[in-house]
Amino acid sequence: LQIVNTLFACGIAFVGWRILTHLEVTGKKLVVLTAFLSFGPTLYWLGTELNNDCLMTLLQAMTIEQPILWAKKPRTGVIIKMALLLALAMLTKTSAVLIAPAIGCVFLYELIRRIRQKDGVWPLIGQFALFAVISIPLGTSYVLRNWFLFQVPPNYVPNLGPNHPQYVGSCSVLRRLGL
């Protein structure tokens, strides 16, 4: 199972490199930033854990790549891909929705830019609506399912008592980091 998470961590490094190339970072800066991302301890820790954090981070990185592409050329296909990736990230772990405000800022920036240039804003508003129609129902479907079927609140976190084998409240910070 750790090999799967390690592959996800390698995918994060690859998507990070793609994001840097989309942002037109070249030369030594590209090499240094890619090396920093690839060999940083964060991906090591994510890649060795047995949870869904690494997959969620990979899907978030793939989602972050899409607004960059969309800002260069607003296309409906990119919006659909962005909405599906965000929904998949939210289905992996609900906290993936935390990148939605950043996506909203990109949308707002492009809308304001179009209004100032007196370009057509209605195609953008249609794309925003399409994004919401795809990402919101798909991303919240599992949380809503659990709420309706089992009355599990959307913010529910299981309580691990002090006798549970996964309880780490009595461990020091250094021990939690594996040092």
Side-chain angles (χ1 to χ4, degrees):
L1 289 175
Q2 284 179 325
I3 291 173
V4 174
N5 267 1
T6 303
L7 291 174
F8 291 154
C10 292
I12 295 167
F14 177 72
V15 172
W17 170 78
R18 284 179 38 156
I19 289 171
L20 290 171
T21 57
H22 292 313
L23 293 174
E24 299 172 3
V25 177
T26 58
K28 289 181 182 178
K29 289 180 186 177
L30 179 63
V31 172
V32 169
L33 290 173
T34 303
F36 179 75
L37 178 64
S38 299
F39 298 112
T42 305
L43 289 183
Y44 170 76
W45 289 328
L46 282 175
T48 58
E49 293 291 321
L50 290 177
N51 57 26
N52 58 351
D53 290 349
C54 199
L55 177 60
M56 181 207 57
T57 307
L58 174 63
L59 291 168
Q60 279 185 319
M62 293 169 70
T63 305
I64 289 169
E65 180 184 17
Q66 299 310 308
I68 296 168
L69 295 173
W70 180 82
K72 290 182 178 182
K73 187 174 181 185
R75 295 179 306 208
T76 305
V78 177
I79 285 284
I80 292 171
K81 193 174 178 182
M82 186 186 335
L84 289 173
L85 285 168
L86 179 61
L88 287 173
M90 287 173 59
L91 287 172
T92 304
K93 193 168 184 180
T94 312
S95 61
V97 75
L98 294 175
I99 63 169
I103 295 170
C105 287
V106 173
F107 287 171
L108 183 63
Y109 173 79
E110 185 64 25
L111 183 67
I112 291 171
R113 190 184 69 75
R114 288 265 183 115
I115 290 172
R116 285 185 179 166
Q117 291 180 350
K118 296 183 175 51
D119 285 344
V121 295
W122 290 111
L124 282 185
I125 293 173
Q127 288 182 355
F128 300 160
L130 181 64
F131 178 81
V133 164
I134 293 172
S135 65
I136 293 172
L138 286 177
T140 59
S141 62
Y142 189 71
V143 172
L144 292 175
R145 171 198 174 270
N146 289 340
W147 186 29
F148 288 123
L149 292 179
F150 308 111
Q151 289 74 44
V152 176
N155 60 349
Y156 175 74
V157 176
N159 184 12
L160 299 178
N163 296 328
H164 195 279
Q166 292 181 344
Y167 181 74
V168 293
S170 59
C171 298
S172 69
V173 174
L174 292 176
R175 188 165 174 219
R176 288 184 206 175
L177 294 175
L179 303 174

